[in-house]
mmCIF file of all heavy atoms in Angstrom:
data_model
loop_
_atom_site.group_PDB
_atom_site.id
_atom_site.type_symbol
_atom_site.label_atom_id
_atom_site.label_comp_id
_atom_site.label_asym_id
_atom_site.label_seq_id
_atom_site.Cartn_x
_atom_site.Cartn_y
_atom_site.Cartn_z
ATOM 1 N N PHE A 18 -169.351 97.580 -182.545
ATOM 2 C CA PHE A 18 -168.111 98.320 -182.748
ATOM 3 C C PHE A 18 -167.956 98.722 -184.213
ATOM 4 O O PHE A 18 -166.986 99.328 -184.598
ATOM 5 C CB PHE A 18 -166.954 97.439 -182.308
ATOM 6 C CG PHE A 18 -165.778 98.190 -181.798
ATOM 7 C CD1 PHE A 18 -165.852 98.872 -180.586
ATOM 8 C CD2 PHE A 18 -164.595 98.239 -182.513
ATOM 9 C CE1 PHE A 18 -164.762 99.565 -180.112
ATOM 10 C CE2 PHE A 18 -163.504 98.928 -182.050
ATOM 11 C CZ PHE A 18 -163.582 99.594 -180.844
ATOM 12 N N LEU A 21 -165.766 100.193 -187.203
ATOM 13 C CA LEU A 21 -164.328 100.033 -186.963
ATOM 14 C C LEU A 21 -163.906 98.576 -186.990
ATOM 15 O O LEU A 21 -162.790 98.252 -187.380
ATOM 16 C CB LEU A 21 -163.972 100.676 -185.622
ATOM 17 C CG LEU A 21 -164.267 102.183 -185.608
ATOM 18 C CD1 LEU A 21 -164.223 102.723 -184.205
ATOM 19 C CD2 LEU A 21 -163.287 102.927 -186.511
ATOM 20 N N PHE A 30 -158.053 96.445 -182.129
ATOM 21 C CA PHE A 30 -158.274 97.884 -182.304
ATOM 22 C C PHE A 30 -157.343 98.641 -181.350
ATOM 23 O O PHE A 30 -157.252 98.308 -180.170
ATOM 24 C CB PHE A 30 -159.741 98.229 -181.992
ATOM 25 C CG PHE A 30 -160.035 99.672 -182.220
ATOM 26 C CD1 PHE A 30 -160.307 100.147 -183.489
ATOM 27 C CD2 PHE A 30 -159.998 100.577 -181.160
ATOM 28 C CE1 PHE A 30 -160.549 101.496 -183.709
ATOM 29 C CE2 PHE A 30 -160.240 101.923 -181.371
ATOM 30 C CZ PHE A 30 -160.520 102.387 -182.646
ATOM 31 N N PRO A 31 -156.629 99.669 -181.872
ATOM 32 C CA PRO A 31 -155.664 100.341 -180.989
ATOM 33 C C PRO A 31 -156.309 101.320 -180.011
ATOM 34 O O PRO A 31 -157.102 102.151 -180.397
ATOM 35 C CB PRO A 31 -154.748 101.090 -181.962
ATOM 36 C CG PRO A 31 -155.541 101.264 -183.194
ATOM 37 C CD PRO A 31 -156.581 100.176 -183.247
ATOM 38 N N VAL A 32 -155.954 101.171 -178.761
ATOM 39 C CA VAL A 32 -156.394 102.080 -177.701
ATOM 40 C C VAL A 32 -155.130 102.566 -177.000
ATOM 41 O O VAL A 32 -154.280 101.750 -176.637
ATOM 42 C CB VAL A 32 -157.316 101.319 -176.713
ATOM 43 C CG1 VAL A 32 -157.507 102.118 -175.443
ATOM 44 C CG2 VAL A 32 -158.659 101.026 -177.355
ATOM 45 N N SER A 259 -168.763 99.451 -177.510
ATOM 46 C CA SER A 259 -169.052 100.420 -178.568
ATOM 47 C C SER A 259 -167.800 101.243 -178.863
ATOM 48 O O SER A 259 -166.840 101.246 -178.088
ATOM 49 C CB SER A 259 -170.148 101.358 -178.095
ATOM 50 O OG SER A 259 -169.662 102.081 -176.978
ATOM 51 N N ALA A 260 -167.848 101.971 -179.996
ATOM 52 C CA ALA A 260 -166.725 102.847 -180.332
ATOM 53 C C ALA A 260 -166.554 103.921 -179.254
ATOM 54 O O ALA A 260 -165.436 104.316 -178.928
ATOM 55 C CB ALA A 260 -166.969 103.480 -181.697
ATOM 56 N N GLY A 261 -167.686 104.355 -178.671
ATOM 57 C CA GLY A 261 -167.610 105.367 -177.613
ATOM 58 C C GLY A 261 -166.772 104.871 -176.440
ATOM 59 O O GLY A 261 -166.003 105.617 -175.830
ATOM 60 N N ALA A 262 -166.912 103.583 -176.142
ATOM 61 C CA ALA A 262 -166.149 103.009 -175.033
ATOM 62 C C ALA A 262 -164.651 103.010 -175.335
ATOM 63 O O ALA A 262 -163.826 103.033 -174.420
ATOM 64 C CB ALA A 262 -166.636 101.601 -174.748
ATOM 65 N N ALA A 263 -164.286 103.006 -176.620
ATOM 66 C CA ALA A 263 -162.857 103.030 -176.968
ATOM 67 C C ALA A 263 -162.244 104.374 -176.583
ATOM 68 O O ALA A 263 -161.083 104.442 -176.167
ATOM 69 C CB ALA A 263 -162.664 102.760 -178.459
ATOM 70 N N ILE A 264 -163.029 105.453 -176.697
ATOM 71 C CA ILE A 264 -162.532 106.781 -176.297
ATOM 72 C C ILE A 264 -162.328 106.813 -174.779
ATOM 73 O O ILE A 264 -161.351 107.348 -174.275
ATOM 74 C CB ILE A 264 -163.561 107.877 -176.688
ATOM 75 C CG1 ILE A 264 -163.817 107.859 -178.180
ATOM 76 C CG2 ILE A 264 -163.140 109.243 -176.168
ATOM 77 C CD1 ILE A 264 -162.987 108.778 -178.985
ATOM 78 N N TYR A 265 -163.273 106.192 -174.099
ATOM 79 C CA TYR A 265 -163.206 106.110 -172.633
ATOM 80 C C TYR A 265 -161.978 105.293 -172.211
ATOM 81 O O TYR A 265 -161.200 105.687 -171.339
ATOM 82 C CB TYR A 265 -164.501 105.467 -172.148
ATOM 83 C CG TYR A 265 -164.613 105.259 -170.665
ATOM 84 C CD1 TYR A 265 -165.144 106.246 -169.847
ATOM 85 C CD2 TYR A 265 -164.207 104.058 -170.082
ATOM 86 C CE1 TYR A 265 -165.263 106.045 -168.481
ATOM 87 C CE2 TYR A 265 -164.320 103.851 -168.725
ATOM 88 C CZ TYR A 265 -164.851 104.855 -167.930
ATOM 89 O OH TYR A 265 -164.959 104.639 -166.585
ATOM 90 N N ASN A 267 -159.348 104.739 -173.963
ATOM 91 C CA ASN A 267 -158.165 105.494 -174.364
ATOM 92 C C ASN A 267 -157.762 106.458 -173.246
ATOM 93 O O ASN A 267 -156.602 106.518 -172.847
ATOM 94 C CB ASN A 267 -158.514 106.267 -175.649
ATOM 95 C CG ASN A 267 -157.315 106.857 -176.334
ATOM 96 O OD1 ASN A 267 -156.424 106.146 -176.766
ATOM 97 N ND2 ASN A 267 -157.279 108.181 -176.413
ATOM 98 N N ASP A 330 -160.035 114.373 -176.894
ATOM 99 C CA ASP A 330 -160.867 113.187 -176.626
ATOM 100 C C ASP A 330 -161.122 112.373 -177.891
ATOM 101 O O ASP A 330 -162.272 112.014 -178.180
ATOM 102 C CB ASP A 330 -162.208 113.608 -175.992
ATOM 103 C CG ASP A 330 -162.025 114.109 -174.568
ATOM 104 O OD1 ASP A 330 -161.562 113.314 -173.737
ATOM 105 O OD2 ASP A 330 -162.310 115.284 -174.300
ATOM 106 N N SER A 331 -160.078 112.082 -178.613
ATOM 107 C CA SER A 331 -160.253 111.404 -179.901
ATOM 108 C C SER A 331 -159.111 110.440 -180.178
ATOM 109 O O SER A 331 -158.017 110.576 -179.635
ATOM 110 C CB SER A 331 -160.310 112.438 -181.028
ATOM 111 O OG SER A 331 -161.445 113.255 -180.872
ATOM 112 N N VAL A 332 -159.400 109.487 -181.067
ATOM 113 C CA VAL A 332 -158.376 108.546 -181.520
ATOM 114 C C VAL A 332 -158.235 108.718 -183.029
ATOM 115 O O VAL A 332 -159.217 108.594 -183.765
ATOM 116 C CB VAL A 332 -158.777 107.088 -181.184
ATOM 117 C CG1 VAL A 332 -157.772 106.102 -181.744
ATOM 118 C CG2 VAL A 332 -158.913 106.899 -179.668
ATOM 119 N N ILE A 333 -157.023 109.018 -183.487
ATOM 120 C CA ILE A 333 -156.760 109.187 -184.916
ATOM 121 C C ILE A 333 -155.976 107.947 -185.352
ATOM 122 O O ILE A 333 -154.870 107.706 -184.867
ATOM 123 C CB ILE A 333 -155.929 110.480 -185.186
ATOM 124 C CG1 ILE A 333 -156.475 111.681 -184.374
ATOM 125 C CG2 ILE A 333 -155.843 110.772 -186.683
ATOM 126 C CD1 ILE A 333 -157.902 112.078 -184.685
ATOM 127 N N LEU A 334 -156.572 107.164 -186.242
ATOM 128 C CA LEU A 334 -155.975 105.865 -186.576
ATOM 129 C C LEU A 334 -154.925 105.993 -187.683
ATOM 130 O O LEU A 334 -154.901 106.974 -188.439
ATOM 131 C CB LEU A 334 -157.084 104.893 -186.968
ATOM 132 C CG LEU A 334 -158.033 104.581 -185.795
ATOM 133 C CD1 LEU A 334 -159.295 103.889 -186.282
ATOM 134 C CD2 LEU A 334 -157.337 103.720 -184.760
ATOM 135 N N VAL A 345 -161.038 118.158 -184.285
ATOM 136 C CA VAL A 345 -161.614 116.819 -184.065
ATOM 137 C C VAL A 345 -161.865 116.646 -182.568
ATOM 138 O O VAL A 345 -160.918 116.629 -181.775
ATOM 139 C CB VAL A 345 -160.659 115.720 -184.586
ATOM 140 C CG1 VAL A 345 -161.247 114.337 -184.319
ATOM 141 C CG2 VAL A 345 -160.355 115.904 -186.061
ATOM 142 N N LEU A 346 -163.139 116.535 -182.184
ATOM 143 C CA LEU A 346 -163.495 116.427 -180.764
ATOM 144 C C LEU A 346 -164.388 115.206 -180.555
ATOM 145 O O LEU A 346 -165.341 114.996 -181.313
ATOM 146 C CB LEU A 346 -164.281 117.673 -180.313
ATOM 147 C CG LEU A 346 -163.676 119.038 -180.643
ATOM 148 C CD1 LEU A 346 -164.646 120.152 -180.254
ATOM 149 C CD2 LEU A 346 -162.347 119.242 -179.936
ATOM 150 N N ASP A 347 -164.107 114.396 -179.545
ATOM 151 C CA ASP A 347 -164.938 113.219 -179.204
ATOM 152 C C ASP A 347 -165.238 112.369 -180.433
ATOM 153 O O ASP A 347 -166.399 112.061 -180.722
ATOM 154 C CB ASP A 347 -166.253 113.669 -178.534
ATOM 155 C CG ASP A 347 -165.990 114.368 -177.214
ATOM 156 O OD1 ASP A 347 -165.464 113.713 -176.310
ATOM 157 O OD2 ASP A 347 -166.279 115.571 -177.104
ATOM 158 N N SER A 348 -164.214 112.008 -181.154
ATOM 159 C CA SER A 348 -164.410 111.282 -182.414
ATOM 160 C C SER A 348 -163.295 110.260 -182.635
ATOM 161 O O SER A 348 -162.235 110.335 -182.023
ATOM 162 C CB SER A 348 -164.386 112.266 -183.591
ATOM 163 O OG SER A 348 -165.427 113.201 -183.460
ATOM 164 N N ILE A 349 -163.586 109.324 -183.541
ATOM 165 C CA ILE A 349 -162.542 108.399 -184.008
ATOM 166 C C ILE A 349 -162.408 108.615 -185.509
ATOM 167 O O ILE A 349 -163.412 108.591 -186.241
ATOM 168 C CB ILE A 349 -162.922 106.939 -183.693
ATOM 169 C CG1 ILE A 349 -162.982 106.759 -182.159
ATOM 170 C CG2 ILE A 349 -161.920 105.969 -184.308
ATOM 171 C CD1 ILE A 349 -163.364 105.377 -181.699
ATOM 172 N N ILE A 350 -161.191 108.827 -185.967
ATOM 173 C CA ILE A 350 -160.952 109.016 -187.402
ATOM 174 C C ILE A 350 -160.286 107.749 -187.924
ATOM 175 O O ILE A 350 -159.224 107.353 -187.444
ATOM 176 C CB ILE A 350 -160.036 110.240 -187.668
ATOM 177 C CG1 ILE A 350 -160.585 111.507 -186.971
ATOM 178 C CG2 ILE A 350 -159.843 110.459 -189.173
ATOM 179 C CD1 ILE A 350 -161.930 111.988 -187.456
ATOM 180 N N GLY A 351 -160.938 107.106 -188.908
ATOM 181 C CA GLY A 351 -160.497 105.789 -189.385
ATOM 182 C C GLY A 351 -159.189 105.815 -190.166
ATOM 183 O O GLY A 351 -158.723 106.864 -190.613
ATOM 184 N N TRP A 352 -158.666 104.627 -190.368
ATOM 185 C CA TRP A 352 -157.401 104.412 -191.062
ATOM 186 C C TRP A 352 -157.406 105.107 -192.430
ATOM 187 O O TRP A 352 -158.354 104.929 -193.214
ATOM 188 C CB TRP A 352 -157.174 102.915 -191.264
ATOM 189 C CG TRP A 352 -157.067 102.156 -189.979
ATOM 190 C CD1 TRP A 352 -155.930 101.897 -189.274
ATOM 191 C CD2 TRP A 352 -158.140 101.542 -189.232
ATOM 192 N NE1 TRP A 352 -156.236 101.171 -188.136
ATOM 193 C CE2 TRP A 352 -157.564 100.944 -188.086
ATOM 194 C CE3 TRP A 352 -159.528 101.458 -189.400
ATOM 195 C CZ2 TRP A 352 -158.317 100.256 -187.135
ATOM 196 C CZ3 TRP A 352 -160.288 100.779 -188.449
ATOM 197 C CH2 TRP A 352 -159.684 100.193 -187.339
ATOM 198 N N SER A 354 -158.042 107.981 -193.501
ATOM 199 C CA SER A 354 -159.056 108.974 -193.882
ATOM 200 C C SER A 354 -158.427 110.361 -193.929
ATOM 201 O O SER A 354 -157.389 110.608 -193.316
ATOM 202 C CB SER A 354 -160.223 108.950 -192.896
ATOM 203 O OG SER A 354 -160.992 107.806 -193.166
ATOM 204 N N ILE A 356 -159.229 114.518 -193.526
ATOM 205 C CA ILE A 356 -160.160 115.546 -193.050
ATOM 206 C C ILE A 356 -159.691 116.885 -193.641
ATOM 207 O O ILE A 356 -158.538 117.272 -193.455
ATOM 208 C CB ILE A 356 -160.167 115.619 -191.503
ATOM 209 C CG1 ILE A 356 -160.330 114.219 -190.883
ATOM 210 C CG2 ILE A 356 -161.231 116.599 -191.014
ATOM 211 C CD1 ILE A 356 -161.609 113.499 -191.232
ATOM 212 N N ILE A 362 -165.079 118.035 -186.897
ATOM 213 C CA ILE A 362 -165.657 116.696 -186.677
ATOM 214 C C ILE A 362 -165.926 116.616 -185.182
ATOM 215 O O ILE A 362 -164.998 116.730 -184.375
ATOM 216 C CB ILE A 362 -164.652 115.579 -187.039
ATOM 217 C CG1 ILE A 362 -164.030 115.779 -188.410
ATOM 218 C CG2 ILE A 362 -165.267 114.199 -186.873
ATOM 219 C CD1 ILE A 362 -164.865 115.367 -189.568
ATOM 220 N N GLY A 364 -168.299 114.834 -181.799
ATOM 221 C CA GLY A 364 -169.266 113.884 -181.261
ATOM 222 C C GLY A 364 -169.716 114.331 -179.884
ATOM 223 O O GLY A 364 -169.302 115.376 -179.394
ATOM 224 N N ILE A 394 -170.443 109.587 -180.048
ATOM 225 C CA ILE A 394 -169.212 110.103 -180.615
ATOM 226 C C ILE A 394 -169.341 110.009 -182.148
ATOM 227 O O ILE A 394 -170.164 109.252 -182.652
ATOM 228 C CB ILE A 394 -167.986 109.321 -180.122
ATOM 229 C CG1 ILE A 394 -168.000 107.882 -180.642
ATOM 230 C CG2 ILE A 394 -167.894 109.339 -178.616
ATOM 231 C CD1 ILE A 394 -166.621 107.296 -180.709
ATOM 232 N N THR A 395 -168.537 110.770 -182.861
ATOM 233 C CA THR A 395 -168.539 110.642 -184.321
ATOM 234 C C THR A 395 -167.470 109.624 -184.701
ATOM 235 O O THR A 395 -166.361 109.644 -184.156
ATOM 236 C CB THR A 395 -168.288 112.012 -184.970
ATOM 237 O OG1 THR A 395 -169.480 112.788 -184.824
ATOM 238 C CG2 THR A 395 -167.968 111.889 -186.456
ATOM 239 N N VAL A 396 -167.844 108.709 -185.596
ATOM 240 C CA VAL A 396 -166.880 107.713 -186.070
ATOM 241 C C VAL A 396 -166.762 107.842 -187.578
ATOM 242 O O VAL A 396 -167.756 107.712 -188.298
ATOM 243 C CB VAL A 396 -167.337 106.273 -185.717
ATOM 244 C CG1 VAL A 396 -166.309 105.267 -186.212
ATOM 245 C CG2 VAL A 396 -167.555 106.119 -184.227
ATOM 246 N N ILE A 397 -165.564 108.123 -188.047
ATOM 247 C CA ILE A 397 -165.312 108.181 -189.488
ATOM 248 C C ILE A 397 -164.606 106.866 -189.836
ATOM 249 O O ILE A 397 -163.536 106.579 -189.299
ATOM 250 C CB ILE A 397 -164.386 109.386 -189.839
ATOM 251 C CG1 ILE A 397 -164.933 110.712 -189.257
ATOM 252 C CG2 ILE A 397 -164.116 109.468 -191.331
ATOM 253 C CD1 ILE A 397 -166.118 111.300 -189.962
ATOM 254 N N GLY A 398 -165.225 106.048 -190.694
ATOM 255 C CA GLY A 398 -164.628 104.763 -191.082
ATOM 256 C C GLY A 398 -163.314 104.968 -191.837
ATOM 257 O O GLY A 398 -162.850 106.096 -192.012
ATOM 258 N N SER A 399 -162.749 103.878 -192.323
ATOM 259 C CA SER A 399 -161.451 103.987 -192.989
ATOM 260 C C SER A 399 -161.599 104.537 -194.409
ATOM 261 O O SER A 399 -162.663 104.392 -195.025
ATOM 262 C CB SER A 399 -160.778 102.622 -193.028
ATOM 263 O OG SER A 399 -161.567 101.770 -193.796
ATOM 264 N N SER A 412 -172.156 111.687 -185.938
ATOM 265 C CA SER A 412 -172.507 110.841 -187.075
ATOM 266 C C SER A 412 -171.542 109.668 -187.196
ATOM 267 O O SER A 412 -170.444 109.689 -186.635
ATOM 268 C CB SER A 412 -172.470 111.659 -188.367
ATOM 269 O OG SER A 412 -173.526 112.597 -188.341
ATOM 270 N N VAL A 414 -169.800 107.321 -190.171
ATOM 271 C CA VAL A 414 -169.577 107.271 -191.616
ATOM 272 C C VAL A 414 -168.915 105.942 -191.951
ATOM 273 O O VAL A 414 -167.848 105.612 -191.411
ATOM 274 C CB VAL A 414 -168.660 108.439 -192.067
ATOM 275 C CG1 VAL A 414 -168.494 108.428 -193.580
ATOM 276 C CG2 VAL A 414 -169.206 109.775 -191.586
#
Side-chain angles (χ1 to χ4, degrees):
F18 210 69
L21 298 166
F30 183 82
V32 166
S259 63
I264 301 266
Y265 178 89
N267 192 62
D330 290 299
S331 296
V332 176
I333 315 299
L334 295 167
V345 178
L346 309 174
D347 296 297
S348 299
I349 296 179
I350 307 297
W352 298 270
S354 285
I356 311 299
I362 310 280
I394 67 155
T395 286
V396 181
I397 307 285
S399 63
S412 292
V414 183

